[in-house]
Amino acid sequence: MSHNPIRPWRDIARRTSRQIMVGNVPVGGDAPITVQTMTNTLTTDVKATVEQVQRAAGAGADIVRISTPDEASTRALRQIVAESPVPIVADIHFHYRRAIEAAEAGAACLRINPGNIGDAKRVAEVVRAAKDHNCSIRIGVNAGSLERHLLEKYGEPCPDAMVESGLDHIKLLQDNDFHEFKISCKASDVFLAAAAYQQLAEATDAPIHLGITEAGGLVAGTVKSAIGLGNLLWSGIGDTIRVSLSADPVEEVKVGYEILKSLGLRTRGVQIISCPTCARQGFDVIKTVETLEKRLEHIKTPMSLSIIGCVVNGPGEALMTDFGFTGGGAGAGMVYVAGRQSHKMTNDQMIDHIVELVEGRAAELEAAKEAAE
Ligand code: SF4
């Protein structure tokens, strides 16, 4: 990230990593940190899977992963890839044939641990298929499925065991002259995951895929992921992220973006700053924010909006946002534009008015961007 001379306390110095391609999406180096999710439909149900991929992509997913546990799934993958707006990662566990079939079906990346698929000949065959089909590979180390010999050596899943596992897999790829790989080192325990990722970041220059695995439901998993991933991203580690929630994949994408947006690492859509509300609120802030979130979901242009219940914090927050509304008295409040007090608006017309302002600004900015290209 470039140095910000005005606000150096906002700088995050990203770890320098190699860049690889996942289809047409760069991962690592100076590429934006990408957001991933994974489908939970049956892969053989092409229609449902494509629909889910499209919804996730619509919410901003840059890359989507799909499980391909059997031959019928890798067969379905071909059609899914053809209809997907984003690169697809095929998730393979032990069967090397599935990896070859997925590469042939057009997967942009294979999530596979080369040490788990059998002898050197099989690894070489998978690497050959990946090379032939411009497929990258993600090594996915998981504290819950470490190799037996490492568990025996270390006694339990620990950062040293996880990093050793990752480096062993890396070596197998490098021995086959394959370098288009990224790596993850996930655990459901935030301390274990963070320590493993920190060690891994020192031990390799490969792009790092971050995740706290099996993080939990929407609220608990979001908090856990924000703490685990936030800590690593803040220290500059991480080139692509997946938030794992027992929830709709679209929610994973939204949470992923919110984590990146909170750290200023990625911008997308409208970021709403709103107060927690109290007896001073001049309008129903919670309901208004809920409605605005839905009505502004389609906006991709980065923009900020403050929705604040009263003048205690409203004008101050509005100073730092593109648009703002602060509750006043007598059923009306103040609209702020680019940090400045602009005009009064009644509470009952405010939502439509704000939506119009944001949509108008988004259209202007998009037109200017197109003209510049
Ligand atoms: Fe209460 Fe006003 Fe603070 Fe909102 S901004 S929580 S309404 S004091």
Side-chain angles (χ1 to χ4, degrees), residues 338-353:
R340 294 231 168 94
Q341 194 170 310
S342 176
H343 52 276
K344 275 197 165 171
M345 181 55 54
T346 56
N347 292 348
D348 57 349
Q349 289 178 309
M350 178 268 278
I351 292 181
D352 286 342
H353 183 62

Side-chain angles (χ1 to χ4, degrees), residues 275-282 285 308-314:
C275 76
T277 76
C278 74
R280 288 183 208 269
Q281 65 180 340
V285 174
I308 308 290
C310 78
V311 291
V312 170
N313 288 326

Side-chain angles (χ1 to χ4, degrees), residues 126-143:
V126 169
V127 167
R128 164 75 24 231
K131 282 182 180 169
D132 286 350
H133 297 278
N134 274 333
C135 220
S136 49
I137 288 180
R138 184 205 358 142
I139 294 167
V141 175
N142 197 312

